[in-house]
Structures are given as C-alpha cells and as structure tokens.
Amino acid sequence: MKQEMAGAYILGIESSCDETAAAVVRSGDETLSNVVASQIATHQPYGGVVPELASREHLRAIVPVVRQALFEAKQTYQSIDALAVTQGPGLAGALLVGISYAKALAFALEKPLIAVNHLEGHIHAVLLEERQKGNRDLRFPVLALVVSGGHTHLYLAEQRGESWSYENIGHTRDDAAGEAFDKVAKLLGLGYPGGPVIDRLAPHGDPWAVKFPPSKIKHPDRKTDAIAQKAQKGGARRSESRRRFDFSYSGIKTAVLRYVETHNMALAIEPRRAALATIARPKIEDYTANCDKQTLDLVASFQRAMVEDLVGKTLAAAREYDAATLFVTGGVAANNELRRAFEEEAAKEGLPVLFPSRPLSTDNAAMIAAAAYPKFLEKDFAAVDFSAEAGLALK
Ligand code: KG4
Ligand code: ZN
C-alpha cells in the first residue's frame, strides 16, 4: 500500500573505495538523506588509498553511517522498502563490508536487496538531480563520461524499459584521470587526494607554460578493428563498426616527473611536503605560500592538458555516436576547469551537458539508492549468494 501512496524508500549503501556512505532516496528522485564518512585522514599519510585500512575503516563506520542516514531521512529500519548496495567495481575487501552488512540487514528485516554497479551509480547521480529539478525529458542516446580515481569510461546509454543499457565505447588503457591528478599531486608534495588541490591551485599558474605532447594510444584495439571489418561486411550492430575512444594518462604523469627532474624542482618538493603535512586542513593560501611560480605553472599546464584530452575525446565520441545528451560524472567531474570547458565546447555543438552537483560527483550512496529504483520496479533483486565483484563491468 505504502509504495503506491508515498513512493519507494530505498536505503543505499556504498563502500567500494575510501568513503563509507549511506543514503535514503525516495523513488529515485528525492534525496532524503546522504551521509558520507570520508577516510581521507586515514589514507593521507600514505599518499593514496591503502586497501586493508579502507576495509577496517568501513567496518568501523558502516553501522553509525547507516543509522545517521535513516535518522536524517526520518525513517526506520522497518519503514524502508528495500536496500541497495554497491556490488562493484571497487576494492574487494571494501565492497565486502558493505555487502555483508546489507545482506544481514535485508535478511533480518525481510526486505529485498538490490545489487548496484558503482559506475551506474555515478550515472544515476546525474539523473537523480535532474529529476529533482523537474527535468524528466531526456534525449537518447546519452553519452556518459564516468571519470574518477578508479575509472575513465565512456558509455553509450539507451533506455530499455525502466532500466538503461550501456555500451562501453572507450576506457583508459592505464591510469584513470583522477589517478593522474592524485599521482601528480603526490609527486609535487601537494598531498592526497590530488584533484581538489590541483583544481584550486591551477588558476594561480599559467596553463600554457608547459607543453605536454597529446596522449597517444600506442596499440589500436585490434579486437574492435576485427569486429569493425566484420560489421562492414555483414551489417552488424550500429556501434560495432564505429571507432573506440580510449584514454591513456600514464604518459602525462611521466612527463610531469621528467619536467620536475630536468628543472631541478626536487629540492623544493620535500620541504613543501613537510610544511603542508603540519597543517591539518591546508587552505589555498597555505598551498600558494608553499609553491613557486614554476610549480604553479606546471600544475596549471597539467590540468589544461588533462581537460583538453577528456573534453576533446568525449566530444569526438559524441559526434561519432550521434549522442543527444552528454553526462559528465565521477569525482573528476567536480573539477571547475573541466566543467567550464565541457560547457563551452558542448554549447558550440548544441549538445546539452549535465553534471551532478559537487557532493554527488564524488562517491556517495544517494547515487546507489537512485540507480536501484528501476531495478526495484522490475523486481530485479540480488540472489542470496551474490558477492563482491572487484572488476564488475557495466552493460
Ligand atoms: O568518484 P570518486 O570519489 O571515487 C572513485 O570512484 O574513484 O573520485 C575520486 C577521484 C580522486 O582521484 C580525486 O582526486 C578526484 O576524483 N577529484 C578531482 C576533484 N575532486 C575529486 N579531480 C579533479 N578536480 C577535482 N575538483
Ligand atoms: Zn566512484
């Protein structure tokens, strides 16, 4: 009865990386609570996520985080209609904490449990907020760039009943874009995570000071080439005869390292790292006070090169696949320059581009609860024996 009257209340749980999160979302379009416990402080001394520590922190946080999400949503364990949890991709141990807890809770409460792909979650973060704004008209196909610390994927999405279906038309061959931001920041002694710091520092430098060669994909995707030849002969699926748009970001990271070495910048890095480590929450003035012009220019140029590559490839893919709407989501979608460049370039082509708000760009559980709603409607519930899949693909 309640479902028809008041919508479906889904409790989402996310623990795939370094954020323990829980949220309650009503019918995929209204966020009632969205609680995120960040582990940044735990991983900061190591300059990156330590998987064992992540699992331990999830174990510590999951019960209070879920309680807080229910409390803020004015819900109880009994009043929710279903639970949703991230199945993958992510760190296996970290995923298992969320999954074990969600399974136990669903079993005890006798409520359905829905397994959600983390990448679909990032895509649904955009949808959730568009619906919240009253925008329910979406033109397909949607091209979604999911760009985060672990992923750089391009998906072509179509609607299929209540759900969406996805085709991967590009991914990174090596580092994810967020990983490149994190590694460059670490290399320059700027701390972890690197994306937000580089985002704030870049406007203080000259983005044209350092020229990086455009990233090249060394080995063309032979499988796709073979499929393309076959498709041309036999008239296979539309996209099989089209180009892929892969990314590669380990080259630019190495180019930054080379620049640091050849310009004798190493001497300034250790004192900067040490100085910033003494400040609990460094402000932008703390960063600029510890960066010379050469460093600021390098940071700005690195960001420009990253943004140019992401925007250039994504818009080329949008043209190739006749995308009607563009989504840009995931942690790196929080980047100011990336948003500005996407808005400017997509407008030139008359292509609507949608981003999540910044809190929904990075990992959260509202996106997991939102992505679960179509599955709830289709009664696509998780089997009791489902488990974490660190490398889960999105289809
Ligand atoms: O989506 P997310 O929270 O976790 C993953 O699924 O990976 O993304 C985290 C990543 C990190 O690499 C972080 O440096 C990057 O997103 N990031 C940013 C910004 N905010 C977060 N990168 C560039 N600019 C930002 N403002
Ligand atoms: Zn993510």
Side-chain angles (χ1 to χ4, degrees):
M1 261 328 268
K2 186 183 140 203
Q3 269 158 239
E4 284 124 60
M5 306 276 300
Y9 291 77
I10 301 182
L11 168 67
I13 296 173
E14 153 66 37
S15 70
S16 68
C17 190
D18 59 346
E19 259 104 26
T20 318
V24 179
V25 175
R26 183 182 159 278
S27 304
D29 65 8
E30 192 192 345
T31 308
L32 300 176
S33 64
N34 187 22
V35 179
V36 181
S38 167
Q39 303 180 359
I40 286 178
T42 306
H43 302 290
Q44 216 149 29
Y46 307 94
V49 179
V50 183
E52 289 80 0
L53 294 184
S55 307
R56 195 189 68 190
E57 290 303 306
H58 285 308
L59 272 174
R60 236 197 270 264
I62 194 136
V63 174
V65 164
V66 168
R67 243 182 233 153
Q68 184 69 18
L70 288 171
F71 174 76
E72 286 181 18
K74 299 191 174 60
Q75 295 292 310
T76 64
Y77 292 106
Q78 283 73 28
S79 70
I80 52 164
D81 296 294
L83 291 91
V85 67
T86 306
Q87 182 180 12
L91 301 168
L95 289 163
L96 266 179
V97 175
I99 292 173
S100 313
Y101 179 69
K103 270 189 184 178
L105 202 54
F107 180 76
L109 298 171
E110 297 181 25
K111 309 261 182 192
L113 176 61
I114 298 156
V116 174
N117 184 306
H118 181 82
L119 302 170
E120 184 166 33
H122 276 301
I123 291 170
H124 274 261
V126 180
L127 268 181
L128 165 63
E129 291 189 313
E130 287 305 310
R131 290 199 189 115
Q132 222 149 255
K133 286 182 224 157
N135 173 12
R136 284 168 185 277
D137 292 326
L138 203 59
R139 286 170 51 224
F140 287 86
V142 170
L143 180 67
L145 171 67
V146 183
V147 60
S148 71
H151 315 279
T152 308
H153 286 294
L154 273 173
Y155 291 102
L156 196 65
E158 293 279 3
Q159 209 160 15
R160 197 189 48 196
E162 298 289 348
S163 300
W164 288 22
S165 65
Y166 304 90
E167 184 183 358
N168 186 286
I169 60 159
H171 60 77
T172 181
R173 299 285 186 91
D174 38 59
D175 292 350
E179 199 178 347
F181 274 92
D182 293 339
K183 285 179 177 170
V184 164
K186 186 178 178 183
L187 171 72
L188 296 175
L190 295 170
Y192 168 84
V197 181
I198 290 179
D199 191 355
R200 288 195 286 160
L201 273 181
H204 298 268
D206 173 5
W208 304 103
V210 185
K211 304 265 182 311
F212 294 105
S215 90
K216 287 223 174 64
I217 306 295
K218 280 194 199 118
H219 311 286
D221 192 334
R222 289 172 209 284
K223 203 171 116 226
T224 312
D225 286 352
I227 293 170
Q229 282 162 12
K230 226 164 82 193
Q232 268 152 18
K233 280 187 209 144
R237 271 174 70 190
R238 219 162 60 112
S239 53
E240 281 177 349
S241 62
R242 300 199 198 181
R243 279 166 63 201
R244 284 188 61 80
F245 292 86
D246 283 351
F247 304 89
S248 167
Y249 295 118
S250 72
I252 189 165
K253 171 197 66 190
T254 312
V256 172
L257 175 62
R258 200 90 10 99
Y259 188 92
V260 165
E261 284 169 355
T262 54
H263 292 77
N264 294 321
M265 293 171 74
L267 279 178
I269 291 176
E270 279 322 310
R272 177 184 311 133
R273 200 188 307 280
L276 289 172
T278 62
I279 309 169
R281 279 169 191 264
K283 293 196 225 22
I284 186 67
E285 301 80 52
D286 298 318
Y287 287 109
T288 49
N290 283 286
C291 289
D292 51 14
K293 182 172 178 332
Q294 200 175 29
T295 304
L296 293 171
D297 287 351
L298 182 59
V299 163
S301 302
F302 161 76
Q303 179 176 275
R304 180 188 57 80
M306 292 296 295
V307 167
E308 257 177 26
D309 189 77
L310 285 164
V311 174
K313 284 206 178 113
T314 303
L315 288 183
R319 284 191 289 271
E320 176 88 10
Y321 289 86
D322 299 317
T325 310
L326 186 60
F327 281 20
V328 182
T329 185
V332 182
N335 187 274
N336 287 290
E337 179 56 20
L338 186 78
R339 286 179 181 238
R340 194 203 56 75
F342 260 118
E343 266 161 8
E344 187 176 298
E345 295 304 315
K348 284 185 196 158
E349 314 208 3
L351 184 66
V353 53
L354 306 175
F355 307 91
S357 63
R358 283 185 178 73
L360 281 210
S361 295
T362 47
D363 287 351
N364 64 86
M367 69 185 198
I368 301 303
Y373 182 59
K375 296 181 197 293
F376 177 81
L377 293 177
E378 293 181 335
K379 298 200 166 33
D380 181 5
F381 302 137
V384 276
D385 62 348
F386 96 100
S387 192
E389 266 197 53
L392 185 66
L394 179 61
K395 289 191 189 112

